[in-house]
Amino acid sequence: MKRNTIQRSLTLEAVKRLANHPTADEVYEEVIKTYPSISKGTVYRNLNQLCDDGLLALKTIPGSSTRFDHMVNDHYHGICSVCGKVFDVEMKAVPDIADDIKDTHGFIIEDYDIIFTGRCQECLKKN
């Protein structure tokens, strides 16, 4: 079992508090507000360890920096094509989607993430 250090706790809490699928740099900027002496490397190591431990999920968004998600259950994401905001899409996960593709195409899926692209409510209000 991993030691629960203050740096690890602050890193996890920062991701939860931001709740916007932050990048590592955004997490670091949030952590230094309460723990200014922490190094960027420490935050990055803790983010990776929290992902390895299943407490955070690493999200690779095409055309964007790697992001971190505090929700580790199966769910989908949307990304705004105007401002780049990443958000959770509130809908039920499609059951057995990976099995359906395997059965149809013989392709073994190791992992997947469904990302919807469109415009967020804030950007729609601006236009």
Side-chain angles (χ1 to χ4, degrees), residues 9 13-14 36 40 44 47 49 52 69 71 87 95 106 115 121:
S9 294
E13 289 307 311
K40 197 177 268 194
Y44 286 20
L47 284 168
Q49 189 61 59
D52 290 346
D69 194 348
M71 292 179 51
F87 55 93
I115 302 171
Q121 290 181 2

Side-chain angles (χ1 to χ4, degrees), residues 13 61 76 87 122:
E13 289 307 311
I61 308 291
Y76 304 124
F87 55 93
E122 289 84 20

